[in-house]
Amino acid sequence: AFNNLRTQIGFLFQGSALYDSMTVRENLEFPLRKFPEYTHKSEQLVLEALESVGLKNAIDLMPEELSGGMKRRIALARAIILRPKIIIYDEPTTGLDPITSKEIIELMKGIQQKFKTSSLIITHDMDCARVISNRMILLIDGINYIQGTYKELAASKDKKVQEFFK
């Protein structure tokens, strides 16, 4: 039951969390090793995941050969390789330049639409939240302070909420 649940959830870690001693291919194959039913089609899944993030040619590179944006895209490919229903993103744009951040945001939105995934995004990047979310929860002092659409929250008269939208 746990393994079945695990295949339904993908994770994109803040620092990408690629294994330095493994090639891109090996990094993407890693989650497949836990599930024998994927072994026979691992090559196909790796290529499809890389194609989804626009990095098919990076398959044999090592993580140190990748830029920050490429690492994030490879990590995203690894998050979608099992075709999860939910992807959890931990600060997906942190540490990226504004152009690369926009590319990652658009890629996340495209993956959400292509694979019909739900996304849970933990972020301080309000542009990311604006583009991707259909519902937001603002945490203030560790509490669910307010929730709603981006538009609703941006229009809030609450001073604490307004601070997020400056």
Side-chain angles (χ1 to χ4, degrees), residues 112 117-119 121 128-137 148-152:
Q112 197 175 37
T117 60
S118 294
S119 300
I121 305 163
C128 179
R130 179 186 56 77
V131 172
I132 294 181
S133 72
N134 52 19
R135 183 179 151 179
M136 294 174 53
I137 299 172
T149 66
Y150 182 93
K151 195 174 184 178
E152 290 167 347

Side-chain angles (χ1 to χ4, degrees), residues 83-102:
R83 302 293 186 261
K85 292 180 181 174
I86 301 168
I87 300 177
I88 300 172
Y89 297 90
D90 180 17
E91 296 287 357
T93 58
T94 294
L96 300 176
D97 64 79
I99 294 169
T100 305
S101 290
K102 286 183 187 202

